[in-house]
Amino acid sequence: MLLTNSRLTVPGVEQSAPPVAAPPPPLPLVREDPLLTPDPALAAQMRAGRVLLVDQVSGKLDNVEAIRTGMQCNPETREQVLRLAEQAYASAGMALDDATRTELLRQVVDEFCGFGPIQALLDDPSVSEIMVNGPQRVYVERKGKSLLTPVCFDDDAHVLKVIHRIIRPLGRRLDSKVPLVDARMPDGSRVNAVISPVAIDGPSLTIRKFGKGVLTAEDLVRFGTLSPAVSEFLKACVVARLNIIVSGGTGSGKTTLLNVLSGFIPNDERIVTIEDAAELRLNQEHVVRLETQKPDITGEGEVTIRDLVRNALRMRPERIVVGECRGGETLDMLQAMNTGHDGSLTTLHANTPRDAISRVETMALMGGIDFPIKVVREQLASAVQLIVQQARLRDGSRKITYITELAGMEGDRIVLQELFRFNEEGMDANGKVKGTLRPSGLRPSFMTKLDNAGFKLPPELFIPTGQNGAGHGGGLRR
């Protein structure tokens, strides 16, 4: 007789396999809206139950530390955690209804194979940003509005545990010597974390979620960000290789609009995209995507936006798309635009087109070359043809508020010519801002360039509504 795997076996006699516990059924894909405020007594009971079950499951798991730090988690591990959680629930003698029990088990699994309390927010497609201001203050952005959620962590240590679970698989470090981290998650979402001593009131975590689908110009028209005619006008400007700056405040939708404009670039052109954290998703075939690199723990290995812009000029680009200019790379961009790399696109932070001009001047002067301000302005006026201003309005909606042409210089000042402006007309019954992106009545000076690219713009496109019965609803012919 042989002893194999702790079972008594007899040679030549077929043995039946040991009974195998059936795997637990998967948790439902749909969960209750995490922004709904639960009953306080039930919430306290759920929190206590989660802590109890997590503790019991931890005592029965192999490699529990590797699992809880995010270095080892797969479908088999998730199934094992769920099975142990169900066993712990049964032995604890809890009496919860089916829906509450399912949610409790899900929260336990999220503690091991997810991102703890915020996993429900990450799973919610209507949530675009998650902002953790400490254990008890978790905010989200939903439909353009910031909302305080009922989601809570146990304490600062719990927040830190989730932060480390996020960043460790990314190879990033966060401690008292490196208290800041900015990284891109595998799904493309951007994560920023700040801890003590920089964060005075405790650890802070911000996640800007990466949308599942790529928004198109048609989507922006449907959302009211712009009109069909203006969408076609911007398409003509991109195809005709105008250099365009998308300007706006934080969260105004600059990157989304930049992605839409980049989508107008013809498929046969070579595009180099440059970003801090890769967010652009272009459908063209001939695309090279570049992303900055943070320095390692010794302070070496950093690759900046400016490094990438300079390198991109050696890659034979037909279009350069920079996710955001924020420093000395702006000067390199202007010089590239003035030396044959027309049709380039970028974004920057500014509240108006005139503010965008001032911001470009300031950032260009950060390039380390002691140019007189007039020289910088001349470079800017000859390099950039169009500023598209984006804003998030008080109802949370994103709108293009200005489309402005850079029309040359008058003395030491850059001349801005407003082509379109969003005119607000109050609020509707649903609390939504009413308004229209209207033409100013001025025709752009680059009309010949659009004509040469094969676009024929009807005169009524630039006639304000009410004059000659036209407005900006005229179509665009090509």
Side-chain angles (χ1 to χ4, degrees):
M1 293 186 295
L2 302 175
L3 193 62
T4 307
N5 293 333
S6 301
R7 295 175 59 221
L8 191 64
T9 63
V10 179
V13 178
E14 184 177 349
Q15 304 293 312
S16 60
V20 178
L27 294 171
L29 294 177
V30 179
R31 67 195 303 169
E32 190 176 62
D33 186 345
L35 272 62
L36 294 177
T37 302
D39 174 72
L42 179 60
Q45 185 181 2
M46 290 277 286
R47 191 173 301 113
R50 173 177 54 78
V51 171
L52 173 65
L53 298 188
V54 166
D55 183 63
Q56 293 194 20
V57 171
S58 296
K60 298 179 180 179
L61 274 176
D62 296 328
N63 301 322
V64 64
E65 194 58 30
I67 295 171
R68 297 199 67 172
T69 55
M71 302 306 291
Q72 177 184 318
C73 198
N74 49 46
E76 291 76 19
T77 302
R78 188 178 182 87
E79 184 179 295
Q80 182 187 13
V81 170
L82 178 55
R83 181 184 295 110
L84 292 173
E86 288 187 319
Q87 293 172 1
Y89 176 87
S91 64
M94 297 183 189
L96 300 174
D97 61 71
D98 289 345
T100 307
R101 171 184 171 277
T102 298
E103 179 58 28
L104 175 61
L105 294 175
R106 191 195 299 269
Q107 290 181 14
V108 174
V109 173
D110 289 343
E111 285 296 317
F112 291 94
C113 297
F115 296 130
I118 62 170
Q119 185 61 50
L121 303 175
L122 290 167
D123 293 339
D124 187 342
S126 70
V127 170
S128 56
E129 195 146 1
I130 301 167
M131 297 153 279
V132 180
N133 297 356
Q136 307 300 316
R137 308 288 289 181
V138 179
Y139 291 82
V140 297
E141 181 183 87
R142 177 185 271 183
K143 298 180 180 178
K145 290 280 193 177
S146 290
L147 304 169
L148 177 63
T149 76
V151 173
C152 292
F153 290 81
D154 297 335
D155 48 29
D156 283 352
H158 194 191
V159 179
L160 278 171
K161 191 175 294 183
V162 170
I163 291 174
H164 285 296
R165 166 178 278 277
I166 293 172
I167 67 170
R168 277 180 181 165
L170 306 178
R172 305 305 294 274
R173 169 187 175 186
L174 189 69
D175 53 36
S176 59
K177 293 184 178 179
V178 186
L180 307 171
V181 68
D182 191 68
R184 176 168 54 87
M185 297 168 69
D187 69 349
S189 298
R190 290 172 57 180
V191 56
N192 179 276
V194 189
I195 64 171
S196 177
V198 175
I200 298 172
D201 299 320
S204 173
L205 173 66
T206 307
I207 299 175
R208 177 170 290 184
K209 291 171 61 178
F210 196 58
K212 300 298 183 185
V214 180
L215 293 179
T216 64
E218 291 74 19
D219 293 322
L220 298 192
V221 169
R222 191 173 69 254
F223 297 154
T225 301
L226 71 171
S227 67
V230 170
S231 172
E232 290 296 310
F233 168 71
L234 291 175
K235 178 180 180 179
C237 293
V238 172
V239 174
R241 304 184 68 86
L242 270 62
N243 293 319
I244 301 173
I245 291 175
V246 177
S247 169
T250 301
S252 61
K254 299 186 299 298
T255 302
T256 297
L257 180 57
L258 181 66
N259 203 83
V260 168
L261 295 180
S262 300
F264 293 143
I265 297 174
N267 192 53
D268 59 349
E269 296 188 21
R270 177 173 171 82
I271 307 167
V272 178
T273 68
I274 300 168
E275 301 176 84
D276 255 339
E279 293 181 277
L280 296 173
R281 289 184 285 184
L282 276 62
N283 292 321
Q284 292 91 332
E285 296 177 359
H286 204 355
V287 178
V288 179
R289 304 170 70 212
L290 305 179
E291 184 180 57
T292 61
Q293 177 175 290
K294 303 295 181 183
D296 59 22
I297 59 175
T298 66
E300 298 179 346
E302 181 179 23
V303 180
T304 67
I305 288 280
R306 189 169 196 186
D307 295 329
L308 295 178
V309 170
R310 289 176 169 177
N311 187 78
L313 300 179
R314 304 183 182 97
M315 299 174 67
R316 196 195 166 275
E318 293 177 277
R319 306 276 189 148
I320 299 175
V321 181
V322 179
E324 182 182 343
C325 280
R326 61 181 66 174
E329 69 275 359
T330 306
L331 178 61
D332 300 298
M333 274 291 291
L334 293 179
Q335 292 176 332
M337 290 173 174
N338 274 317
T339 54
H341 296 90
D342 52 352
S344 297
L345 306 168
T346 189
T347 76
L348 57 81
H349 279 82
N351 294 323
T352 68
R354 179 60 68 181
D355 289 345
I357 294 296
S358 299
R359 180 123 171 86
V360 170
E361 292 171 359
T362 301
M363 292 189 296
L365 293 173
M366 295 166 63
I369 300 178
D370 190 17
F371 283 147
I373 188 64
K374 183 176 181 181
V375 173
V376 175
R377 288 174 180 169
E378 288 173 345
Q379 287 248 340
L380 174 56
S382 62
V384 178
Q385 288 79 49
L386 207 64
I387 296 175
V388 182
Q389 185 70 37
Q390 181 94 350
R392 182 172 64 172
L393 305 185
R394 61 184 182 276
D395 64 348
S397 62
R398 275 87 169 178
K399 305 282 187 185
I400 290 178
T401 51
Y402 297 93
I403 298 179
T404 304
E405 178 191 4
L406 278 70
M409 299 276 294
E410 279 188 3
D412 292 344
R413 187 176 176 85
I414 295 176
V415 177
L416 296 183
Q417 178 170 285
E418 189 176 286
L419 302 178
F420 297 88
R421 172 191 280 195
F422 181 77
N423 292 284
E424 190 172 324
E425 301 163 356
M427 308 284 287
D428 64 16
N430 298 317
K432 295 294 184 181
V433 173
K434 296 190 298 181
T436 309
L437 186 62
R438 296 178 179 173
S440 66
L442 300 174
R443 290 168 62 86
S445 61
F446 48 75
M447 290 291 292
T448 301
K449 195 167 186 177
L450 301 187
D451 289 342
N452 292 339
F455 290 89
K456 305 298 181 183
L457 281 73
E460 59 268 23
L461 178 65
F462 303 102
I463 299 176
T465 303
Q467 297 186 23
N468 298 331
H472 70 297
L476 187 66
R477 301 186 298 276
R478 189 183 185 196

